[in-house]
Amino acid sequence: MADAKIHDESHKIADKRGNGTLRREVWADPKGKVTRYNLAYINHKLHAEDNGRVVGYDNAHGYHHRHYFGVVEPVAFVSFEDVETRFECDWIALKDSK
């Protein structure tokens, strides 16, 4: 049985709270283990490259990595929950720096 997309969410952020879009896509195997993910904060006004992705985490291309204003760097994978926490911390730091 193939992996299934279990979350596919986009949330528009109000202009006064940072503008842009938060995107969350998650796939899991039949036992519920996360096998693929894409978490992103997209804001074309802050960053026009990388399809507007300001910060994001995913495991496409066979490895876990972080996007930050166009720079892609590998990240150590502990758990999907850890990745979500790191993404949330990055998003909050960006939002609070405005």
Side-chain angles (χ1 to χ4, degrees):
M1 198 179 275
D3 296 349
K5 189 181 260 192
I6 59 172
H7 294 286
D8 188 354
E9 305 163 352
S10 290
H11 299 282
K12 170 75 173 101
I13 307 300
D15 290 346
K16 66 182 180 180
R17 298 205 60 211
N19 201 353
T21 301
L22 287 173
R23 182 88 175 116
R24 182 175 187 252
E25 296 177 285
V26 182
W27 292 259
D29 68 15
K31 294 183 178 181
K33 179 182 177 194
V34 172
T35 57
R36 200 166 112 198
Y37 60 89
N38 174 39
L39 308 173
Y41 168 54
I42 301 162
N43 186 329
H44 293 276
K45 291 179 183 177
L46 287 180
H47 186 68
E49 297 172 23
D50 199 11
N51 296 315
R53 181 171 24 197
V54 178
V55 64
Y57 289 80
D58 67 80
N59 64 342
H61 316 295
Y63 73 108
H64 302 274
H65 54 279
R66 174 183 184 242
H67 297 253
Y68 192 76
F69 286 95
V71 175
V72 179
E73 59 186 1
V75 295
F77 182 77
V78 175
S79 68
F80 176 66
E81 292 77 16
D82 176 67
V83 170
E84 283 189 306
T85 299
R86 286 192 258 169
F87 174 69
E88 183 179 0
C89 288
D90 285 350
W91 150 243
I92 289 170
L94 279 169
K95 178 180 70 74
D96 290 348
S97 69
K98 291 185 169 197

